[in-house]
Amino acid sequence: MSDLIGQLEALQVEAQAALVAAQHTPETEAWYAAYLGRKGKMTTILRGLGQLSQEERPRVGKRANEIKETLEAALLVRQESIAAAEMQRMLASEGIDVTMPGRRPQVGKLHPTNQAMREMVEILKQMGFQVYDSPEVETDDFNFGLLNFPPDHPAREMQDTFFTTTPDVILRTHTSPGQIHAMRQYAPEPIRVMLPGKCYRNEDVTARSEMMFYQIEGLAIGRNITFSDLKGTLLNFANQMYGEGRKIRFRKSYFPFTEPSVEVDVDCVLCGGAGCRLCKHTGWLEILGAGMVHPIVLQNGGYDPALYSGFAFGMGIERQAMLKRGVDDIRLFYSNDVRFLERV
Ligand code: DAH
């Protein structure tokens, strides 16, 4: 009996030494077959169990099981360390450099029109103007009539209109009809609102005009609002939008919904007034139209023109972005050319 246990213990020593020598997975498989498999040395020794006495058999059997379990556990540990070594060899041979910096994901940004719009909204917000949303689809009356465009007045031809299949329903040609919506909602309270949004004109698309574009409208109504308030507001706007120390000038103009009406220029952002290609050698860039709200428009909005006065202004958002960033073609804003979108 002691002879069998002695054989088992000698086998354990031999098997453990052989396992340490195994360097690759196939060698561990061969090792298993040689020691623990059905035709392995352990099995061969255990065949001798049958010749043992009843008393001896359980003791030897127990010892044999212990040794078998020890060897199986040793095999598992060996297999894991071989697998780790094999993984390391594979990484090294494939040349993976874990210190290499990763690729930066491309991050988008606001569209240039939205950048300009937000900038303008921010400036006007500081002066107390609140954003007022008004519809892009209007009736002829809101877009023209209530703004004091007489029927068949040539002023309507200043803006070529997109009509719809519903009579009298059109796409707004400017943000000015929002003035009427805002006034009717708030009259007789004083108001100070800005109305940013899309406008549509049935015009040929050129470097200077698109069929769809953005405007922002400003409107202030109250009891003692004067032309000086308009001047101060626009000078402050120009200084914040185009840089401190900017000069503006007012030229008399005509809009049916304002009286008096003006067009406002800022001194050229490129040459500072000396004259260049951008300002067509005039030294000035036109940025917007403005004026004192016409008494008829005040009335249409629900304000008594004997008690209330107000100013209004309207400007193209892409136009401001073009002047400010030196873009010479409005079509770029709608062509989705990534080189333009990234640069501006
Ligand atoms: N609605 C005018 C246009 O699209 C711009 C404008 C001019 C707006 C004078 C105003 C204004 O509010 O007072 O050409």
Side-chain angles (χ1 to χ4, degrees):
M1 170 224 65
S2 58
D3 182 41
L4 261 192
I5 289 192
Q7 281 180 44
L8 282 168
E9 283 171 354
L11 180 70
Q12 180 181 357
V13 172
E14 182 197 322
Q16 277 174 331
L19 189 57
V20 173
Q23 297 294 331
H24 300 97
T25 304
E27 289 162 38
T28 62
E29 283 161 1
W31 178 91
Y32 183 85
Y35 292 99
L36 300 176
R38 261 190 307 121
K39 291 178 183 158
K41 292 184 180 174
M42 173 73 94
T43 316
T44 311
I45 296 173
L46 291 181
R47 285 216 184 92
L49 271 180
Q51 275 121 50
L52 294 179
S53 66
Q54 290 282 26
E55 307 85 64
E56 282 173 325
R57 213 177 288 155
R59 221 160 62 81
V60 178
K62 183 166 172 271
R63 185 77 190 110
N65 267 334
E66 280 166 10
I67 290 173
K68 194 171 175 228
E69 277 166 21
T70 306
L71 289 178
E72 278 169 350
L75 175 65
L76 268 185
V77 171
R78 189 70 197 138
Q79 280 171 332
E80 271 168 27
S81 78
I82 287 174
E86 278 172 356
M87 174 64 83
Q88 216 147 39
R89 271 197 297 274
M90 193 186 80
L91 288 178
S93 75
E94 285 180 1
I96 293 176
D97 178 0
V98 294
T99 65
M100 195 168 83
R103 286 200 190 92
R104 235 173 230 290
Q106 273 214 327
V107 182
K109 61 176 190 172
L110 280 182
H111 189 277
T113 307
N114 277 326
Q115 287 179 43
M117 178 158 67
R118 292 200 186 184
E119 202 176 342
M120 294 157 82
V121 164
E122 208 47 49
I123 294 169
L124 291 170
K125 196 161 83 184
Q126 285 169 27
M127 290 189 271
F129 289 84
Q130 285 184 305
V131 172
Y132 187 91
D133 268 329
S134 75
E136 287 170 32
V137 178
E138 287 284 11
T139 58
D140 184 88
D141 215 26
F142 269 86
N143 197 78
F144 296 116
L146 295 166
L147 290 169
N148 197 35
F149 287 77
D152 305 319
H153 191 282
R156 291 191 186 220
E157 282 159 30
M158 284 161 62
Q159 303 170 355
D160 300 299
T161 311
F162 277 116
F163 298 91
T164 68
T165 48
T166 312
D168 275 347
V169 175
I170 63 168
L171 301 186
R172 69 175 174 193
T173 60
H174 52 174
T175 44
S176 303
Q179 290 188 24
I180 304 288
H181 292 294
M183 285 192 274
R184 287 190 173 178
Q185 181 168 341
Y186 291 111
E189 299 296 320
I191 50 179
R192 215 182 300 166
V193 290
M194 54 177 143
L195 306 97
K198 290 189 193 100
C199 304
Y200 303 84
R201 287 187 198 174
N202 191 3
E203 288 179 340
D204 290 339
V205 175
T206 67
R208 291 176 54 88
S209 65
E210 264 286 354
M211 287 188 288
M212 190 199 80
F213 55 96
Y214 280 80
Q215 282 190 343
I216 188 165
E217 188 91 6
L219 175 71
I221 311 274
R223 279 194 181 249
N224 290 301
I225 292 191
T226 66
F227 197 85
S228 304
D229 296 318
L230 173 61
K231 279 177 95 169
T233 302
L234 294 181
L235 182 60
N236 185 25
F237 174 81
N239 277 319
Q240 293 203 52
M241 187 71 186
Y242 294 104
E244 226 32 71
R246 287 256 84 88
K247 283 184 288 204
I248 56 174
R249 78 172 179 186
F250 290 70
R251 282 179 290 110
K252 64 180 190 303
S253 184
Y254 172 76
F255 300 102
F257 37 92
T258 44
E259 182 58 37
S261 300
V262 290
E263 276 167 300
V264 180
D265 301 340
V266 64
D267 55 335
C268 179
V269 293
L270 198 61
C271 65
C276 69
R277 218 171 56 97
L278 181 64
C279 61
K280 299 200 183 72
H281 302 283
T282 63
W284 296 95
L285 300 167
E286 184 193 321
I287 54 170
L288 56 88
M292 298 308 288
V293 180
H294 196 288
I296 290 176
V297 176
L298 281 173
Q299 211 153 33
N300 290 339
Y303 290 88
D304 179 354
L307 300 174
Y308 292 89
S309 57
F311 65 74
F313 56 89
M315 55 191 147
I317 291 180
E318 291 91 345
R319 176 158 177 82
Q320 313 298 315
M322 288 166 75
L323 294 177
K324 188 164 173 167
R325 300 173 203 271
V327 178
D328 61 4
D329 193 330
I330 194 172
R331 290 170 293 196
L332 286 165
F333 288 83
Y334 295 94
S335 61
N336 278 336
D337 184 327
V338 180
R339 290 165 301 181
F340 170 72
L341 297 177
E342 278 174 354
R343 185 173 65 85
V344 173

